[in-house]
Amino acid sequence: MYFEGQIAIDPSQVSVIEKRVPTKFFKKLFYYLTLGNASDGIEKQTFTAVSILQQINAVLLKSGIDNIVRLSHDGIDFYLDTEGKEGDLKEAFDKYDLEIDTSMSTIFDQLIMVLEHEDEVFKYLIKVTINRTHDVGEYPIELKIDGFLKEFSAKGKNRYQLEKALKPTFKTQKVYNNYKSRRSKQFEAFLDEMKLNFKTLMNVDNVIIEQKTKVVVPTSRVTTPKDIKFRERDNDYGVYYGYHGFEDVIFYNMLWSAMSRKYGLTIEDTYYENDTGDQFGFVEEADTSRDFFNEEIGSRHYSFSSLTDIPDSTKTDSGWFSFDGFGDSSDDSDNSSCSSCSSCSSCSSCGSCGGD
């Protein structure tokens, strides 16, 4: 189990609304017939890359965050820490400032920063995405914050020792629920602090926070952190990229579903993914006796679509896998999807919306 937070920020910047040509043929034809009057708009922010990074830097430092892992400009990595340096935020910004020219700072599509941070309870991976152009109604700055439980770090422990450390948390359903609630509130407090710092130090129109509890169900049994399937793909900025030092706090997540099954727990209000970050969806109440949680079988036998067609023996329990509010989750964990289709007029990933 770990926690994921999403913070969406709308800075008070003058924006330019532009028309975009639809992708589908008939919409495109109608667009030209109406001289573009019927087209959806996109919003272009006026901030430059350097100016917005400077503002976000002030917020991060106020939150005590100065450890950057990665800085990417339109898919080009200007900084990537493969050694586990600490306090290198200024170094990364200085390097970026020296290497980009005026045109790159002014005309860009997307900036991505990946940072790490620790407090007494959590080790955080923080992904900051800055979109210069975005659909009207969407937020130009988004943070995705993953919080991993430091007390269950695998550093210096084998699987047996880690299971022993985990055992008290799974002792009874009540103990488990209380533990989850306590840690969830601590994670929420960190998100609230970040929100306050953004509102205080940046001139923002709005800040929205969403929080999730997540459980990893591995595709196969893992015995050491080396078994984790890190991807290191250029377009993957999430925790499964394999950033330096995160294998120790990710490993306990590979055991969580098996421990839940072993002690016969019911897991409530949780999102599920496999060990490569592919999303299964949200379950209000999950009975861990199901084969899905059996690490000897592995979640590789399940997909987003197959979970809606589970064996007859489990169909009697309503609410097993519920996908309310989810779109197609076949993409990797960093691709955003609609959390609510009631207001997703600009969403292209939600199957019920139809896209462009």
Side-chain angles (χ1 to χ4, degrees), residues 209-245:
I209 291 181
E210 181 184 2
Q211 181 175 332
K212 298 177 181 178
T213 302
K214 306 193 82 173
V215 164
V216 180
V217 184
T219 52
S220 59
R221 178 183 170 87
V222 293
T223 57
T224 71
K226 293 181 180 179
D227 295 333
I228 302 172
K229 300 175 176 62
F230 293 126
R231 298 183 286 191
E232 295 193 10
R233 299 190 310 212
D234 290 340
N235 63 343
D236 186 349
Y237 296 90
V239 71
Y240 295 104
Y241 177 85
Y243 295 114
H244 184 278

Side-chain angles (χ1 to χ4, degrees), residues 122-179:
F122 296 104
K123 183 179 176 102
Y124 302 96
L125 186 75
I126 304 168
K127 176 190 171 190
V128 183
T129 303
I130 304 161
N131 295 305
R132 186 169 173 272
T133 59
H134 52 92
D135 289 335
V136 174
E138 291 186 351
Y139 286 73
I141 303 173
E142 296 178 346
L143 280 74
K144 179 176 175 289
I145 303 172
D146 296 327
F148 299 91
L149 298 163
K150 288 173 59 177
E151 65 190 294
F152 300 131
S153 171
K155 191 170 184 178
K157 299 186 183 76
N158 58 33
R159 175 168 174 144
Y160 171 78
Q161 292 170 321
L162 190 54
E163 286 180 341
K164 189 175 180 180
L166 285 164
K167 183 178 177 180
T169 304
F170 296 84
K171 186 176 180 180
T172 67
Q173 187 71 53
K174 183 178 180 180
V175 168
Y176 178 87
N177 290 346
N178 288 342
Y179 178 84

